[in-house]
Amino acid sequence: MKSNHGANLHQLSETLGIDENQIIDFSSNINPFGLSPKGVEKLRANLHLASVYPDPDYTELKASIAEYCRCNPENIVLGSGATELIASSIKVINPKHTLLLSPAYSEYEKELKNIGSKITKFFYKKESEFQIDINEVIETTKKSNFDMIIICNPNNPTGTLISLEDIEKLYFNFKKPIMIDETYIEFTDFSKTSAINLVDRCQELIVIRGTSKFFSTPGIRLGYSIVSKGDILNSLSSIPNLWNINIFADIMGEAMFKDTDFINMCHRKFKENFELLYSGLKKFKNFKVYNSSSNFILCEILTSEFNSDNLYEFLSKKGIIIRKAESFDMLNNNFFRVCVLTKENIEFLLHEISNFMQKY
């Protein structure tokens, strides 16, 4: 497994000879509709607080997250991004044998290897349109003495969403820690799909979220976990260093979770733009376009005349970056992934793919 992530725009700018701000990045899955106006406004009004320590309890930030997630603030653990929380959760649980639903974000496997956990992978299969039969997962858990299950939901890169009912069924059959990375859940109707709804009913559930994707704030490095009350929550709560969230992430985060106008606008525009991208990609006869419950779409090239390397090279010269998916388990260079951007960007992508196809 290669540990590749999205585009490094700094390197690409130099390689392509294109200003970084002119690159259209379809690889990073970040909400294209800008920052929360209320978050930006509050941040600007409080820049002078750089000389002040944050509230070590982050009371207002946790209250804002609790209202947004409809959860108890006592169940919240803060971190410098979702990846930090993934690492700390794995270290706290310290599983000897982990069931990992795959293909998925490479950091899960990296952190499991760091603690010496044996890893068994349950694969989303192309033959099943990358959909999961939860009964098959449950049967797999009975074949070995697993200590933990890790699920990305919706899954990256397949876009697969496991229903809340299936997550609950899996937990009550397994009855051991399940970590669910919900980095992309906010691109669904997350009040009905999020496993946060199960935290009070399940004893060892860790639900991880970040603000990088939906709130388009990878630079502030803010993540949070909603964790069932008990030993895991107690251990996770004792890990963070004092003031581990900087004051600007604290200030901006507290405001943007309450910015309902911005949140509703993003959902409305996202649905429109997703349909534009999905239907546009479906028109290319050499592509198989997989259903997705996230803000990205996985595509498979069905011809042997070209692959994702050829498509990437052509589009990159136009300043368009897609994600080649061969670094993910079970996927090869016939697969690529694109995220939902603005209407203008999507139309440009589809136009340039059409130009590319004229060569074949």
Side-chain angles (χ1 to χ4, degrees), residues 168-185:
E168 184 174 26
K169 183 177 181 180
L170 175 61
Y171 177 79
F172 283 109
N173 276 274
F174 186 58
K175 295 182 180 177
K176 293 180 185 179
I178 300 179
M179 185 181 79
I180 303 173
D181 180 358
E182 291 193 342
T183 294
Y184 301 101
I185 200 75

Side-chain angles (χ1 to χ4, degrees), residues 63-73 76 189-192 196-197 200 209 226:
S64 186
I65 292 172
E67 182 180 349
Y68 176 71
C69 293
R70 301 176 186 175
C71 70
N72 189 326
I76 297 172
D189 185 1
F190 68 96
S191 65
K192 298 177 182 177
I196 289 173
N197 292 293
D200 290 337
R209 297 263 191 95
I226 316 298

Side-chain angles (χ1 to χ4, degrees), residues 48-244:
H48 63 284
L49 293 180
S51 61
V52 177
Y53 284 108
D55 166 18
D57 296 320
Y58 300 99
T59 306
E60 293 301 320
L61 176 58
K62 286 186 175 181
S64 186
I65 292 172
E67 182 180 349
Y68 176 71
C69 293
R70 301 176 186 175
C71 70
N72 189 326
E74 293 179 359
N75 293 89
I76 297 172
V77 178
L78 300 176
S80 296
T83 301
E84 180 188 76
L85 291 163
I86 289 165
S88 58
S89 298
I90 289 171
K91 287 173 184 174
V92 161
I93 295 166
N94 195 27
K96 291 182 173 60
H97 192 181
T98 305
L99 183 64
L100 173 62
L101 272 61
S102 189
Y105 184 39
S106 62
E107 293 300 315
Y108 310 140
E109 186 168 350
K110 174 186 172 184
E111 294 300 333
L112 288 167
K113 287 180 176 178
N114 283 344
I115 64 161
S117 179
K118 179 182 176 182
I119 303 168
T120 296
K121 296 179 181 180
F122 184 96
F123 288 104
Y124 297 87
K125 298 182 180 68
K126 182 177 80 169
E127 296 76 19
S128 304
E129 302 285 314
F130 296 111
Q131 298 303 307
I132 285 285
D133 182 340
I134 206 66
N135 293 316
E136 291 182 7
V137 182
I138 291 168
E139 286 304 308
T140 301
T141 65
K142 295 175 180 178
K143 294 176 182 177
S144 295
N145 188 28
F146 296 105
D147 304 299
M148 181 183 188
I149 300 174
I150 297 178
I151 301 170
C152 183
N153 201 43
N155 186 53
N156 175 24
T158 64
T160 309
L161 179 68
I162 301 176
S163 71
L164 195 59
E165 294 74 21
D166 279 350
I167 294 289
E168 184 174 26
K169 183 177 181 180
L170 175 61
Y171 177 79
F172 283 109
N173 276 274
F174 186 58
K175 295 182 180 177
K176 293 180 185 179
I178 300 179
M179 185 181 79
I180 303 173
D181 180 358
E182 291 193 342
T183 294
Y184 301 101
I185 200 75
E186 288 147 298
F187 295 101
T188 71
D189 185 1
F190 68 96
S191 65
K192 298 177 182 177
T193 57
S194 172
I196 289 173
N197 292 293
L198 301 175
V199 163
D200 290 337
R201 300 206 297 275
C202 304
Q203 295 178 351
E204 296 178 291
L205 209 61
I206 307 103
V207 182
I208 293 176
R209 297 263 191 95
T211 62
S212 296
K213 303 304 184 183
F214 183 78
F215 285 101
S216 191
T217 56
I220 69 171
R221 306 311 307 142
L222 177 61
Y224 56 100
S225 292
I226 316 298
V227 186
S228 304
K229 288 183 179 179
D231 292 341
I232 296 174
L233 175 60
N234 295 338
S235 296
L236 286 171
S237 298
S238 68
I239 287 176
N241 296 320
L242 190 63
W243 304 303
N244 68 317

Side-chain angles (χ1 to χ4, degrees), residues 273-284 289 297 350:
N273 290 12
F274 179 93
E275 183 53 38
L276 176 66
L277 178 60
Y278 184 81
S279 60
L281 291 168
K282 292 275 283 186
K283 292 177 182 177
F284 297 110
V289 183
I297 297 170
L350 297 173

Side-chain angles (χ1 to χ4, degrees), residues 38-49:
K38 289 184 178 179
V40 172
E41 180 183 359
K42 187 162 185 181
L43 185 59
R44 284 176 177 158
N46 289 280
L47 290 174
H48 63 284
L49 293 180

